Amino acid sequence: MPDRPETHPPGAFARYWAAATISSFGATVTAVAMPVLVVQLLAATPLEVGLVNAAQFVPYALLGLIAGVYTDRWRRKPILVWASVGRALSLGSIPVLWFTGILQTWMLIVALLLFGAFSVFGFAATQSLLPRLVPRSRLLTANARLDQSDAAAQTLGPTVGGALVGLLSAPVAIVVNAVSYLVDAVLVAVIRVQERPAVRTRLDLRADIVEGLRWTYRQRILGPLTVSTHVWFLANGAAMTVLSLLALRALGFTAYTYGLLLTVFGFASLVGAFFAPRISTRLGAGRTIILARGAYPIAWLLVVAAPGTAAGSAMLFAALALQGLAMGSENAAEQYLWQTLTPDGILGRSNATRRAGNRTLAAAGALLAGIFVGVVGERPALVPVALLFAIAALVAWASPLRHRTDPHDGGGPEPVSG
């Protein structure tokens, strides 16, 4: 069986893109509503905020490697459909519990654990199905289009989310995201794509997991990229936990102002994603990633230095804009490298393996940040965050990514055993 199908169904990517865009808009509304629900309505402690932020990532540590194996064994479209349905039901339980008057922080954590469990399978299938929908030559552009939609959602969604929270309440705003996942499921279900289950000569779960781990961490280009990204997620999980506490509690941002902050981040991501194909074509995918990762420590040092004044709030907005530009610029390049260097038969495992590590470390970062903020305060807690972002950039810079200008030199994926 070839690693890539030779034909791609017409209109499939358009439906896939629409589904991803709709669920992205829903997710950005929840990005505003969830911190407001936790920090203001449930009056959670910093530790509880960290636990809530970590909850949706914990299933990646428990299920990530197994999800990768079954994503390579099963057809990927049905996985996507049922994962979206599961996420809709998990999120939908939160407003139901709130309006019945029984929602507590531990219940929210359980709902997010379920949400994360469905997301483990959903994201593994999402990144593995795309090469079946578009030709290899269009993967960079397709990933950039998805990033642009996500960034556009992050630009408009937080403003809408902040308004919804202010007018209707945070639990009502979460309903929007639950509905968006149901629409996502319907759109993906009607996609026509020729999927052939990967040929398996064995049913040894452990051997399949080991093969995925070996490829993810020992491939000469993707291995260092994986380590750099792991460190990045550790830093980002901590950073976003501290950000919600700093903005909503220390600086006294309203839900609407917090939404505007995330809107600035989203708009900057949109700009970065728009230019991402040109930047990657000019610099190469590896150098694009390195350049972007050098911007993150600068952004969070700006947050550390921001005083508790109007000027400090402006610095916070500027820092999130820089973070957004960096993220928008690098993500398509990173996905392109994974999709072009990895054989289709191991793509589900490689995607799930690295995402398991990423989300596990994001959960650890969120939890540690919640503890650290309770001890030293918001701004001091961001100093090690900036240091971790700098380490992530240095790992990428010290790897073969620095010398790579073309995403793939040989015209096809390297053998798994290589």
Side-chain angles (χ1 to χ4, degrees):
M1 183 182 71
D3 287 318
R4 301 283 187 257
E6 296 181 358
T7 60
H8 300 84
F13 177 70
R15 295 183 182 91
Y16 180 86
W17 187 11
T21 300
I22 291 169
S23 59
S24 290
F25 268 93
T28 54
V29 172
T30 296
V32 178
M34 192 64 71
V36 174
L37 174 63
V38 175
V39 175
Q40 295 183 348
L41 299 185
L42 295 178
T45 66
L47 176 58
E48 288 174 328
V49 173
L51 287 171
V52 170
N53 286 347
Q56 61 182 302
F57 301 134
V58 169
Y60 288 90
L62 302 177
L63 301 174
L65 299 180
I66 296 173
V69 171
Y70 285 104
T71 299
D72 284 335
R73 291 183 182 181
W74 298 341
R75 289 185 300 128
R76 291 157 184 172
K77 192 183 86 169
I79 295 176
L80 273 177
V81 172
W82 289 110
S84 293
V85 171
R87 284 180 282 192
L89 295 175
S90 302
L91 285 179
S93 69
I94 296 172
V96 170
L97 292 170
W98 172 260
F99 287 116
T100 56
I102 63 173
L103 181 65
Q104 299 179 40
T105 303
W106 72 266
M107 297 178 183
L108 183 62
I109 290 172
V110 171
L112 291 176
L113 284 170
L114 290 172
F115 176 85
F118 287 109
S119 296
V120 172
F121 285 88
F123 280 116
T126 294
Q127 295 174 339
S128 304
L129 183 64
L130 184 59
R132 295 277 180 180
L133 303 179
V134 297
R136 183 176 179 274
S137 61
R138 291 180 53 205
L139 275 173
L140 180 59
T141 301
N143 279 299
R145 294 289 179 268
L146 293 169
D147 287 344
Q148 288 164 15
S149 292
D150 190 57
Q154 292 181 46
T155 301
L156 300 175
T159 302
V160 175
L164 284 173
V165 170
L167 290 173
L168 302 175
S169 78
V172 171
I174 292 174
V175 173
V176 174
N177 195 8
V179 173
S180 74
Y181 279 118
L182 290 177
V183 176
D184 180 315
V186 172
L187 287 173
V188 173
V190 300
I191 292 175
R192 294 184 178 181
V193 56
Q194 294 295 324
E195 285 198 88
R196 292 168 292 177
V199 176
R200 310 307 301 166
T201 57
R202 61 174 181 265
L203 294 177
D204 187 339
L205 183 65
R206 180 180 176 277
D208 279 356
I209 290 174
V210 169
E211 188 177 42
L213 287 167
R214 184 181 297 116
W215 176 264
T216 303
Y217 290 102
R218 294 178 61 181
Q219 208 275 348
R220 67 183 189 89
I221 293 169
L222 300 179
L225 177 58
T226 300
V227 174
S228 172
T229 304
H230 283 349
V231 177
W232 186 95
F233 269 88
L234 176 65
N236 197 62
M240 299 312 291
T241 297
V242 179
L243 178 67
S244 63
L245 291 164
L246 177 66
L248 291 169
R249 191 165 288 173
L251 297 179
F253 279 22
T254 65
Y256 185 73
T257 305
Y258 186 68
L260 286 177
L261 177 65
L262 298 183
T263 295
V264 169
F265 168 79
F267 179 76
S269 298
L270 177 60
V271 173
F274 179 79
F275 289 104
R278 302 181 195 179
I279 296 172
S280 293
T281 299
R282 181 178 293 268
L283 299 180
R287 292 173 183 171
T288 298
I289 293 167
I290 293 170
L291 180 64
R293 296 201 175 174
Y296 298 117
I298 298 172
W300 289 98
L301 286 175
L302 281 175
V303 178
V304 174
T309 62
S313 296
M315 289 177 66
L316 189 60
F317 274 82
L320 266 289
L322 180 58
Q323 172 109 345
L325 280 172
M327 288 181 65
S329 299
E330 75 159 309
N331 190 59
E334 184 176 358
Q335 297 305 323
Y336 185 35
L337 284 177
W338 278 99
Q339 290 164 351
T340 54
L341 289 173
T342 305
D344 186 75
I346 201 172
L347 191 55
R349 278 168 287 166
S350 66
N351 285 330
T353 296
R354 76 177 192 278
R355 188 170 285 269
N358 291 343
R359 299 312 194 212
T360 300
L361 287 168
L367 183 58
L368 290 173
I371 297 171
F372 205 46
V373 168
V375 176
V376 303
E378 291 88 2
R379 284 187 180 81
L382 286 173
V383 174
V385 167
L387 178 61
L388 285 170
F389 276 121
I391 292 172
L394 287 172
V395 170
W397 179 82
S399 75
L401 289 168
R402 186 171 84 247
H403 307 294
R404 192 174 186 83
T405 56
D406 174 57
H408 190 67
D409 296 328
E414 298 179 17
V416 175
S417 60

